[in-house]
Amino acid sequence: LLVLALFVLPLQAAGTIKIGGIFPITGPIATFGISCANGAKMAVEEANARGGVLGSKIELIIEDDQYKLEEAANAAKKLIERDKVVAIVGGVTSSEALTIGPIAQSAKVVLVTGTATNPKVTQVGDFIFRVCFLDDFQGEVMANFAYKNLKAKTAAVLTAVTSDYSKGLADSFKKKYVALGGKIVADESYSEGDTDFRAQLTKIKASKPDFVFVPGYYSDVAPILNQARELGITVPFGGGDGWDSPELLKQAAKAAEGCFYTNHFTPDAKDLLVQTFVKNYTKKYGMAPDALAALKYDAMKFLLEGIKKAGTTDPVKIKEALASMKTFRGVTGSMTFDANRNAIKSAFILQIKGGKVVYYTTVKP
Ligand code: PHE
């Protein structure tokens, strides 16, 4: 009995369900990490205020990977081996998720990403889930929009070759755009963190495109847009969710005017669930939530529902419970899940207009 007590006591004394969070809170895409941490924290605080899950409080242990893949791997190992988390929420970018995923999968720890959209992310294994749409869909949405709505018959693409996200999204856009009858007249690339894009933009300008697709993150997109306008490229640019940062408008509002991007969330949605989230988030953090905050809020709620459903913190049982959830209603919309643990849901097209991001339209899957 004493031996048993010794084993049981430390577990009970801990009394919490530990969940890890890995986000790029500092570094080049820090607004992504900060928003994700805020969204995940808010979901945990709300759950704890209602008494926690399975009678235990949730303890969220957040690691900052600085958008460095070695740091992301170290954080995953630390959370799993030292902190003994039952699940991780994170992998903000696809490259981070593709780094953390194999570590979680081989340790049999659940990974739920709210934001990583590259198709390969969930192919890593059955412990990996996501609550966002995929780049296959997002790329097609923008290709359709450029070709049909903007009537762009030719397009140029500028891809970040260092990013799994950017490469996948560029491919998806090009494939659909060409299938529709559009012509890719320039296909240029850069490395994340580059500061001078004039050589690529000069080639793009010479190709006289009707539209320029830049599937990058805001940290690169802002200087790209500024330099493009300086070089006299006046056509609309478009992008994906990676444009979603208040920094884009701070750094390049004028250059971004009239541009469009696809996203997972709009605070303008009339839905009561969304409005309550926007109100509570804004009160707590002093700014409106962006897509990353909303997606990590949804990711955490999805995970907590899975734990509740499993009735235990055994990660294998949590995985099975999550896999059995065929629908979920979040602040980023209603979604269903396919057999590969991918969310199927609508995308929003947003426009930069009057120096602000405004809702333009919704595209159903
Ligand atoms: N989808 C991006 C990726 O996979 C991450 C992201 C999500 C960025 C949502 C902004 C908003 O890398």
Side-chain angles (χ1 to χ4, degrees):
L1 206 73
L2 185 67
V3 176
L4 196 72
L6 281 176
F7 278 108
V8 171
L9 265 177
L11 285 176
Q12 283 184 341
T16 60
I17 298 174
K18 288 186 183 174
I19 295 174
I22 307 178
F23 312 121
I25 293 170
T26 58
I29 50 170
T31 76
F32 285 179
I34 293 165
S35 289
C36 285
N38 287 348
K41 265 194 256 172
M42 198 168 127
V44 166
E45 282 169 21
E46 287 177 4
N48 283 341
R50 286 192 302 266
V53 175
L54 307 179
S56 299
K57 289 278 157 78
I58 303 295
E59 182 183 344
L60 176 61
I61 306 171
I62 292 180
E63 300 289 332
D64 173 15
D65 72 18
Q66 306 159 53
Y67 191 39
K68 290 183 183 150
L69 300 183
E70 335 66 86
E71 295 296 330
N74 289 340
K77 285 177 203 148
K78 183 234 162 207
L79 288 168
I80 293 168
E81 287 158 20
R82 220 166 75 202
D83 299 322
K84 308 257 184 286
V85 297
V86 300
I88 296 173
V89 168
V92 171
T93 63
S94 293
S95 296
E96 290 165 297
L98 286 165
T99 302
I100 300 163
I103 299 169
Q105 178 68 31
S106 69
K108 293 196 188 324
V109 165
V110 168
L111 177 71
V112 182
T113 175
T115 48
T117 44
N118 186 281
K120 289 179 288 187
V121 167
T122 44
Q123 289 165 15
V124 167
D126 59 349
F127 279 80
I128 325 289
F129 296 81
R130 70 175 128 206
V131 297
C132 50
F133 54 64
L134 275 65
D135 289 331
D136 292 355
F137 175 58
Q138 183 173 203
E140 288 190 4
V141 167
M142 196 39 84
N144 262 317
F145 184 74
Y147 190 77
K148 294 180 185 160
N149 298 58
L150 300 179
K151 312 247 182 294
K153 299 293 171 242
T154 61
V157 180
L158 181 52
T159 308
V161 284
T162 45
S163 153
D164 291 299
Y165 158 78
S166 192
K167 286 186 287 184
L169 186 51
D171 285 345
S172 156
F173 173 86
K174 284 186 274 186
K175 217 169 119 198
K176 183 69 183 182
Y177 190 73
V178 168
L180 287 166
K183 202 172 160 211
I184 303 293
V185 288
D187 197 355
E188 293 294 318
S189 60
Y190 65 93
S191 296
E192 289 165 281
D194 283 357
T195 51
D196 187 350
F197 305 92
R198 290 175 183 87
Q200 296 93 319
L201 289 168
T202 300
K203 285 191 202 154
I204 287 174
K205 188 183 177 191
S207 75
K208 297 195 169 43
D210 296 329
F211 176 76
V212 185
F213 186 57
V214 187
Y217 299 139
Y218 71 90
S219 45
D220 299 320
V221 172
I224 286 170
L225 291 175
N226 285 331
Q227 290 171 24
R229 300 313 184 203
E230 278 163 31
L231 287 170
I233 306 176
T234 54
V235 296
F237 279 56
D241 50 358
W243 285 36
D244 185 34
S245 171
E247 279 299 316
L248 185 72
L249 291 184
K250 272 190 208 147
Q251 295 172 25
K254 238 182 111 201
E257 184 69 16
C259 292
F260 295 90
Y261 63 97
T262 44
N263 209 355
H264 311 257
F265 176 74
T266 168
D268 300 336
K270 297 280 175 290
D271 192 318
L272 183 64
L273 195 70
V274 177
Q275 285 315 312
T276 308
F277 170 70
V278 171
K279 201 179 93 210
N280 292 342
Y281 186 99
T282 307
K283 197 170 146 205
K284 189 169 163 61
Y285 298 112
M287 56 181 165
D290 55 17
L292 296 119
L295 286 167
K296 277 322 189 240
Y297 178 81
D298 280 353
M300 183 60 81
K301 288 190 83 165
F302 174 69
L303 171 63
L304 296 181
E305 204 171 306
I307 297 175
K308 223 180 282 172
K309 233 178 152 196
T312 154
T313 55
D314 173 358
V316 176
K317 292 280 185 295
I318 298 173
K319 174 206 83 165
E320 285 165 4
L322 289 173
S324 77
M325 286 163 57
K326 291 296 170 225
T327 59
F328 182 75
R329 187 163 167 258
V331 294
T332 59
S334 290
M335 58 197 91
T336 58
F337 298 96
D338 68 13
N340 302 312
R341 303 162 307 284
N342 294 319
I344 300 161
K345 60 200 284 201
S346 294
F348 301 109
I349 294 178
L350 308 180
Q351 183 183 19
I352 295 148
K353 202 178 163 188
K356 280 195 292 199
V357 180
V358 296
Y359 169 79
Y360 192 79
T361 190
T362 304
V363 181
K364 294 209 175 84

